[in-house]
Amino acid sequence: AQRVTQPEKLLSVFKGAPVELKCNYSYSGSPELFWYVQYSRQRLQLLLRHISRESIKGFTADLNKGETSFHLKKPFAQEEDSAMYYCAHAPLDSSYKLIFGSGTRLLVRP
Amino acid sequence: KAGVTQTPRYLIKTRGQQVTLSCSPISGHRSVSWYQQTPGQGLQFLFEYFSETQRNKGNFPGRFSGRQFSNSRSEMNVSTLELGDSALYLCASSLDGMGEQYFGPGTRLTVT
């Protein structure tokens, strides 16, 4: 079954520390992968997608097909990065849907 | 432009009743998807509509149904409500169902 795994429910770091939110997917084809973020009292929104290869708010994510991973990284965490982060996968053979991971809550402490 | 809107925002129903939730997509978006979010199961895909046609359906019982109108607005219906249907129901829209989806604020359904 197609699955997205985020092993950490909670990641707590201090401001200025590096952050890595882990995401692994199970899909043998060419995946389309996303990171969505939900800040407190706000709606779920796209942070970045692997196709665009952009850096948004200092975050980057590299697709590693060998390890089937799409980890989200930021070199220096800020307090405003505290939020719920979801990794999501859109299988290309049955598109029009997103398969979400269970989410990781990032807490950046001052 | 205005974002995705969902009505109502909160709903309390009794077991056995039915409920209809509404979603208005971003203007110009023709694809509407629905997701159920619960603490135990996380975010799960319900179904997706494009031009009034259901193109994909998640693994939910037939009590969950939906439709899309010619103006791309969508409704989902849950019949014979069960306690386990208590959840946040999210609607998302996109231009064509591929790529970025824009989420609404959700409808919080509580079944008692």
Side-chain angles (χ1 to χ4, degrees):
Chain A
Q2 295 155 355
R3 189 177 299 159
V4 175
T5 303
Q6 293 180 252
E8 303 135 330
K9 285 191 173 180
L10 172 66
L11 185 62
S12 180
V13 301
F14 286 104
K15 178 183 171 182
V19 168
E20 183 179 50
L21 298 166
K22 291 184 166 48
C23 171
N24 287 90
Y25 63 92
S26 62
Y27 182 64
S28 58
S30 295
E32 183 164 13
L33 290 154
F34 307 82
W35 277 98
Y36 279 81
V37 61
Q38 188 166 30
Y39 301 102
S40 179
R41 298 190 195 87
Q42 293 187 29
R43 60 186 68 188
L44 200 58
Q45 59 186 283
L46 180 69
L47 179 63
L48 55 80
R49 57 191 294 191
H50 90 276
I51 284 180
S52 62
R53 302 184 67 81
E54 289 179 313
S55 172
I56 306 293
K57 298 185 179 183
F59 284 97
T60 58
D62 290 318
L63 175 62
N64 185 323
K65 288 187 179 181
E67 296 181 0
T68 59
S69 68
F70 188 56
H71 302 329
L72 184 68
K73 299 177 184 179
K74 184 169 183 177
F76 308 104
Q78 303 299 313
E79 288 181 69
E80 55 267 29
D81 296 328
S82 294
M84 196 73 184
Y85 290 80
Y86 294 94
C87 182
H89 165 215
L92 294 181
D93 64 352
S94 62
S95 292
Y96 322 127
K97 74 174 182 181
L98 289 172
I99 298 173
F100 283 91
S102 53
T104 298
R105 180 166 298 283
L106 175 64
L107 179 60
V108 182
R109 292 189 261 174
Chain B
K1 51 187 172 181
V4 177
T5 58
Q6 291 186 246
T7 57
R9 293 293 310 279
Y10 302 92
L11 208 48
I12 299 176
K13 289 287 188 178
T14 305
R15 266 181 303 177
Q17 288 186 314
Q18 75 165 17
V19 67
T20 299
L21 312 181
S22 181
C23 171
S24 293
I26 291 172
S27 177
H29 285 189
R30 295 170 65 190
S31 169
V32 174
S33 299
W34 289 89
Y35 294 85
Q36 182 195 64
Q37 186 174 28
T38 59
Q41 299 298 317
L43 278 154
Q44 292 188 288
F45 171 79
L46 279 157
F47 26 64
E48 188 263 359
Y49 287 88
F50 182 86
S51 292
E52 302 177 66
T53 300
Q54 186 183 89
R55 294 194 297 190
N56 206 345
K57 189 178 191 305
N59 189 26
F60 279 83
R63 300 184 296 107
F64 291 81
S65 63
R67 59 177 176 168
Q68 187 181 34
F69 302 95
S70 58
N71 62 358
S72 294
R73 191 177 69 83
S74 177
E75 289 181 347
M76 69 162 280
N77 183 277
V78 189
S79 63
T80 320
L81 283 165
E82 300 177 0
L83 294 178
D85 297 333
S86 294
L88 181 67
Y89 289 88
L90 294 173
C91 163
S93 78
S94 66
L95 285 170
D96 57 8
M98 310 284 285
E100 179 175 4
Q101 296 193 16
Y102 295 81
F103 283 82
T107 294
R108 171 79 57 192
L109 171 64
T110 301
V111 182
T112 63

